[in-house]
Amino acid sequence: MKTLNKIFLTLGVAATLGMSSCVNDLDLQPIDPNEMTDVSQDINQAFAGVYLAFVTSGPNGSSPVAGFDGGMGSFQRALYIGEELPTDESAWVWDPERYGRINYGFVTPDLEIVTGMYFRLICNIALCNEFIKNAQDGYFAGEGAQNAAEYARQARILRAGAYFYVLSFYENPPFALEDVPMGADPTQPGRAAVYDAMVSELEDIVAYYKANSTTTYYGFVGLDAAESLLAKYYLNGEVFAGRADYDKCLAHSQAVIDRLGHGGKYGNGLAPSYSCLFGANNQQYAIGGAADVHEVIWTLPSSRYQNPDGTVVDNLTSWAGSTFLCAAWNKSNGTQVALRVPTNDAAYKDKIGEDLLFTDEDGVRHMYQYYGDATAYAEAKAAYDKAKGDDAEAWKYNVNEYINNVPWAFDPTATFHMSTDWMNYDENWGCLVTRKAFVTKFIWNDTNYSVSDDTRVAFWQTSAHGFTPENKSLVGDDWGNNGYLAWKWTNWMFDNNGNVDYKLSAERVPKTGAAGGDYAVIRLAEVYLMAAEAILQGGGGSQADAVKYVNYIRQRAYGDAYTPWSSVNMAALQDERCRELYQENCRRTDLIRWNLWCTGYTWDWKGGIRSGTNLPEYTKSYPFPTNVIATTSLKQQTGY
């Protein structure tokens, strides 16, 4: 990624938002100083660098902070660490030295993750600031220079996206726009002032787009991203500025719904299934994508696929986004035995009608292999006939569960049953588990929390596979016995009906390395839920509209088992938002907005106690890193 490295050098990112005075302490440096390039003649190259900072880990795939985990310091993972790990949705069960007690709701300024969250947000803002300033000053010439104003407008949207999380993470946030001199420390004008600046800028951008016909291309932000983000700001107006701006949230949410809320399977602009939004070919549902609905309003592209000749195309490689959310929930070892079995002995076909090869010469089973060779098929049949007569092998032919319409057998002597083939992805870190309080928010058909009509848990590893919903601890050594694995992103490709396309997945998506799907930052489903919440909070509209919007979400989630609600209150909406948007970097912000972060709601290990306890008020804010406080004029957050 030498291009990004050149942009960091040329645009002087480290010199904005106080980063210049942190350079020595954080050892912020480009990887190859000899790669400096003048990008004044290539605005497209510089503009690409702005977007790359929101997707990739850093220059050359690592972090520009020497010795820092580039994956941890990427935009999506920084947000996940801050928004999800301290909540009921998930916990990180390894690396306590680097993560500290964040699983319990506490951090300290010296933690690496505190540095990573702050650095990624501030660095992205600084990069946007420098690009905007250079575009305004006429720095760019040559091909593409005529697009400078539009590119700067999009950089402002991205900057506002970063500032949203700055406002959420810090009660006294740092602030600087493109007019701050390079090398100057940012100011701390107060949360409300930053909020006012960002909503004013987004209002201007939205007004411009509505007055001027423009096209938003795949992977870029435009009118819908700007207006959805603006609605998201207004939804949190009470926390950010002490103002109930729910009427403005509803107005802008409704405008987005009016533009995007039509077409598709359900006629409301939502993708045909929940799972297909988090698969390897989910980019088709983004604005500018190939599908007939564009639910994903702001996407972080990271498409990865395999050409027919076997070559792998990595459009953007990142250890964040879909890769992170596939690998971190995944773990497989020899203690978990789950094997694919046939459903029709006579034809040797599986449920989807494709020939099976049960074992190779080493006794290892493989999924989704296609054999046109008669000899190979005969060998497979002979191996099956032989094994079927062996009592010790009998369990392999008893179907315990259909997973993605494929039958599987579980070894009764194994503690856990799991296969990386269930997600079509071999990278497995075993870092994340979910908590029982979150599990019980879903509607289950049994007391063991193993069967649900809610398709949003379709890929979870549950008690049906030997896992426990209880969180006896939040440490990695107890993995398998301290929480469910709440899979949401997978490496499958899905067809137009939202079903797994096994053949296309086998042909086009590699099972190792980076996963194939994009990361959705804002979806139309969230806009529907924002509109419903704004209505319930007195922002206008009607109860009927709120119910309708929530039922749109539920209809897709339950499919044939869907029963519409006739009414909705805040408690029900809060739970539905949790179920729909889990792992999408909303949860901590939501709990704080609902006054449920410190008191009023407990979850497993909240406050460091297994049954949960209240959190102190100061934990509503994260601290600035120790090195930043030591080398700038910024004042530390209250309580740290």
Side-chain angles (χ1 to χ4, degrees):
M1 304 289 272
K2 291 180 180 178
T3 299
L4 184 56
N5 189 37
K6 295 171 185 176
I7 292 165
F8 268 81
L9 281 160
T10 306
L11 299 184
V13 172
T16 309
L17 275 181
M19 292 297 290
S20 61
S21 53
C22 303
V23 170
N24 292 334
D25 282 80
L26 295 182
D27 199 11
L28 184 68
Q29 57 186 347
I31 295 172
D32 184 358
N34 295 319
E35 291 293 337
M36 182 179 287
T37 299
D38 179 4
V39 296
S40 62
Q41 298 297 313
D42 192 349
I43 190 174
N44 295 321
Q45 177 183 332
F47 190 48
V50 175
Y51 273 94
L52 283 169
F54 285 83
V55 179
T56 60
S57 302
N60 297 323
S62 62
S63 172
V65 179
F68 189 81
D69 183 337
M72 184 189 294
S74 58
F75 181 68
Q76 180 276 330
R77 277 181 67 176
L79 300 186
Y80 193 94
I81 290 167
E83 285 283 356
E84 304 291 352
L85 295 187
T87 74
D88 54 349
E89 286 191 8
S90 66
W92 189 268
V93 295
W94 296 105
D95 294 336
E97 294 82 8
R98 294 199 295 176
Y99 285 81
R101 301 178 67 229
I102 194 169
N103 287 329
Y104 312 121
F106 299 105
V107 296
T108 53
D110 59 337
L111 284 178
E112 186 175 347
I113 56 167
V114 170
T115 300
M117 289 189 297
Y118 177 86
F119 156 75
R120 177 45 61 192
L121 292 172
I122 298 307
C123 188
N124 283 17
I125 290 168
L127 186 56
C128 290
N129 281 346
E130 283 299 297
F131 181 87
I132 293 165
K133 182 179 186 301
N134 286 330
Q136 287 178 340
D137 292 349
Y139 173 79
F140 298 108
E143 184 178 356
Q146 72 275 9
N147 297 321
E150 172 58 24
Y151 289 175
R153 196 173 294 113
Q154 292 182 37
R156 292 178 188 276
I157 299 172
L158 295 175
R159 181 176 65 183
Y163 263 124
F164 176 86
Y165 295 99
V166 170
L167 280 167
S168 182
F169 287 177
Y170 306 109
E171 50 90 17
N172 189 15
F175 185 62
L177 297 179
E178 67 276 7
D179 56 351
V180 173
M182 295 203 319
D185 283 349
T187 61
Q188 290 175 281
R191 222 178 197 176
V194 178
Y195 172 83
D196 287 341
M198 288 298 99
V199 297
S200 176
E201 184 157 87
L202 286 171
E203 287 280 12
D204 289 345
I205 291 170
V206 168
Y208 171 86
Y209 280 131
K210 289 182 177 180
N212 296 271
S213 178
T214 58
T215 299
T216 303
Y217 297 97
Y218 166 73
F220 293 87
V221 293
L223 170 59
D224 295 305
E227 192 153 28
S228 300
L229 184 58
L230 183 56
K232 194 167 174 127
Y233 267 94
Y234 283 136
L235 184 68
N236 292 277
E238 285 190 293
V239 175
F240 293 170
R243 293 199 299 272
D245 283 336
Y246 295 110
D247 56 338
K248 297 175 183 176
C249 173
L250 178 59
H252 287 290
S253 296
Q254 190 62 58
V256 175
I257 291 169
D258 290 344
R259 288 194 300 272
L260 299 179
H262 49 80
K265 180 177 180 180
Y266 300 103
N268 54 27
L270 299 181
S273 77
Y274 192 72
S275 298
C276 70
L277 285 165
F278 309 102
N281 57 339
N282 61 358
Q283 62 272 10
Q284 65 183 308
Y285 301 108
I287 289 178
D292 62 343
V293 292
H294 300 127
E295 179 175 346
V296 179
I297 294 171
W298 178 9
T299 190
L300 301 182
S302 53
S303 303
R304 185 171 190 259
Y305 60 91
Q306 187 165 304
N307 290 318
D309 64 0
T311 58
V312 176
V313 176
D314 289 299
N315 288 344
L316 289 172
T317 299
S318 173
W319 292 105
S322 58
T323 298
F324 164 65
L325 289 168
C326 284
W329 288 101
N330 193 14
K331 186 174 182 181
S332 183
N333 57 46
T335 64
Q336 303 136 230
V337 182
L339 302 177
R340 194 183 193 202
V341 295
T343 59
N344 186 327
D345 292 354
Y348 292 90
K349 304 280 188 179
D350 71 4
K351 197 173 182 182
I352 57 174
E354 289 156 341
D355 295 343
L356 297 175
L357 182 66
F358 300 126
T359 59
D360 62 18
E361 62 272 13
D362 298 318
V364 178
R365 294 197 167 208
H366 298 280
M367 288 182 68
Y368 316 124
Q369 303 293 319
Y370 303 91
Y371 293 85
D373 183 273
T375 301
Y377 183 70
E379 291 174 351
K381 181 179 183 303
Y384 168 68
D385 289 339
K386 179 180 178 181
K388 189 177 178 183
D390 185 345
D391 291 341
E393 299 285 297
W395 68 270
K396 298 180 180 180
Y397 307 98
N398 294 320
V399 178
N400 291 94
E401 184 178 357
Y402 284 95
I403 299 173
N404 302 333
N405 293 326
V406 176
W408 286 82
F410 298 158
D411 184 350
T413 66
T415 305
F416 313 115
H417 303 115
M418 182 177 176
S419 171
T420 56
D421 285 327
W422 294 351
M423 310 305 160
N424 197 40
Y425 193 62
D426 288 341
E427 297 285 340
N428 55 99
W429 303 348
C431 296
L432 289 173
V433 298
T434 194
R435 311 195 199 200
K436 187 175 181 180
F438 173 62
V439 172
T440 58
K441 287 196 177 299
F442 289 84
I443 308 302
W444 301 90
N445 298 343
D446 63 335
T447 57
N448 294 324
Y449 311 110
S450 65
V451 179
S452 177
D453 294 322
D454 193 331
T455 60
R456 293 171 294 197
V457 302
F459 291 100
W460 284 24
Q461 306 310 298
T462 68
S463 59
H465 312 128
F467 296 89
T468 172
E470 307 289 341
N471 305 110
K472 62 180 289 186
S473 78
L474 296 182
V475 298
D477 290 339
D478 290 327
W479 183 89
N481 194 31
N482 64 341
Y484 281 179
L485 308 185
W487 276 83
K488 179 167 176 170
W489 268 262
T490 74
N491 201 38
W492 290 117
M493 300 189 84
F494 291 84
D495 63 22
N496 292 332
N497 296 315
N499 299 313
V500 172
D501 189 323
Y502 296 107
K503 190 172 187 298
L504 192 61
S505 297
E507 292 173 350
R508 300 298 304 274
V509 187
K511 293 177 64 177
T512 59
D518 290 357
Y519 180 82
V521 184
I522 300 179
R523 295 188 286 119
L524 179 60
E526 182 179 359
V527 178
Y528 278 126
L529 291 168
M530 288 195 293
E533 183 172 345
I535 291 170
L536 296 184
Q537 293 286 31
S542 67
Q543 169 76 197
D545 280 342
V547 173
K548 178 176 66 175
Y549 293 157
V550 175
N551 275 334
Y552 285 165
I553 308 303
R554 297 182 60 258
Q555 180 183 23
R556 177 175 63 186
Y558 290 96
D560 293 339
Y562 162 68
T563 301
W565 284 351
S566 59
S567 64
V568 62
N569 57 31
M570 272 301 297
L573 182 138
Q574 288 166 0
D575 286 348
E576 192 59 39
R577 182 176 170 94
C578 176
R579 289 186 285 262
E580 176 69 19
L581 300 178
Y582 73 97
Q583 296 179 30
E584 296 185 51
N585 299 337
C586 299
R587 188 59 173 162
R588 178 180 173 275
T589 298
D590 289 347
L591 290 170
I592 291 173
R593 182 175 70 256
W594 299 328
N595 292 315
L596 297 176
W597 170 256
C598 293
T599 60
Y601 170 52
T602 57
W603 53 88
D604 318 75
W605 293 104
K606 177 184 177 182
I609 296 175
R610 182 173 179 176
S611 60
T613 189
N614 293 336
L615 287 169
E617 191 74 13
Y618 78 87
T619 61
K620 289 183 178 179
S621 177
Y622 285 114
F624 291 148
T626 299
N627 287 342
V628 171
I629 291 299
T631 55
T632 71
S633 61
L634 289 173
K635 294 180 180 179
Q636 185 57 281
Q637 306 299 292
T638 302
Y640 294 97

